[in-house]
Amino acid sequence: NQVKNALLTPYIKDGRTFLGLKDVAIAVGVKEEDIIWDDTTQTVTLQKNGRIIQLQLGSNIIRSNDTVVLMNTVAESKNARTTLPVAYIMQALDVPYVWDGNNNTVTITLKE
C-alpha cells in the first residue's frame, strides 16, 4: 500500500527522510481519534493496540509505553504538521519498513 493524498510531502533533511506523523500513523492503522495534540506542551500522543507513544516538538525523545528512544534529531513542525524521520515513526509504531537508498524509497509492511 502507498500513502495516498498525504497532507505533507516527504522531505529529506540531514540525510533523513521526514514524514508527517499523523499521515503515517493513519496510513498504518492508527485511528484519527487516537491521535491527540496538546498545544500547551506541543506534544502528540498516539494510541494503537495498547501502545501509547508520545513525542514533543523540539525534543529528541520518543516514549513508547515504558521505553524511551533517543533520536539523533528532533521532531519538528513543517506546515503545521509534526514531522520526524520515517525510521523513528515505524520503530515507535512497531511497523516493519525497508529503506532503498538506490531509489530513495521507503517500503512499509502493514501487518494484518
Side-chain angles (χ1 to χ4, degrees):
N1 290 346
Q2 292 183 347
V3 178
K4 295 184 180 179
N5 301 320
L7 298 176
L8 181 68
T9 302
Y11 62 97
I12 295 178
K13 180 179 177 185
D14 299 328
R16 297 174 191 92
T17 301
F18 279 68
L19 294 172
L21 177 61
K22 181 177 181 179
D23 300 331
V24 174
I26 289 171
V28 298
V30 176
K31 296 176 185 168
E32 192 160 358
E33 61 266 21
D34 289 333
I35 303 170
I36 301 151
W37 172 253
D38 183 331
D39 197 47
T40 303
T41 62
Q42 302 283 287
T43 301
V44 64
T45 302
L46 308 174
Q47 299 178 49
K48 183 180 181 203
N49 298 333
R51 184 183 298 255
I52 298 172
I53 299 150
Q54 287 188 309
L55 63 117
Q56 185 176 32
L57 284 181
S59 173
N60 70 331
I61 296 172
I62 297 177
R63 288 181 170 72
S64 180
N65 289 345
D66 294 330
T67 303
V68 173
V69 175
L70 296 177
M71 299 185 293
N72 58 4
T73 188
V74 298
E76 60 185 41
S77 179
K78 183 166 181 148
N79 300 333
R81 308 291 285 185
T82 301
T83 66
L84 63 154
V86 66
Y88 291 113
I89 298 172
M90 296 300 100
Q91 182 181 19
L93 292 170
D94 192 29
V95 175
Y97 72 96
V98 175
W99 168 250
D100 178 349
N102 292 327
N103 295 304
N104 291 329
T105 59
V106 176
T107 302
I108 298 168
T109 304
L110 301 178
K111 297 178 182 179
E112 295 295 320

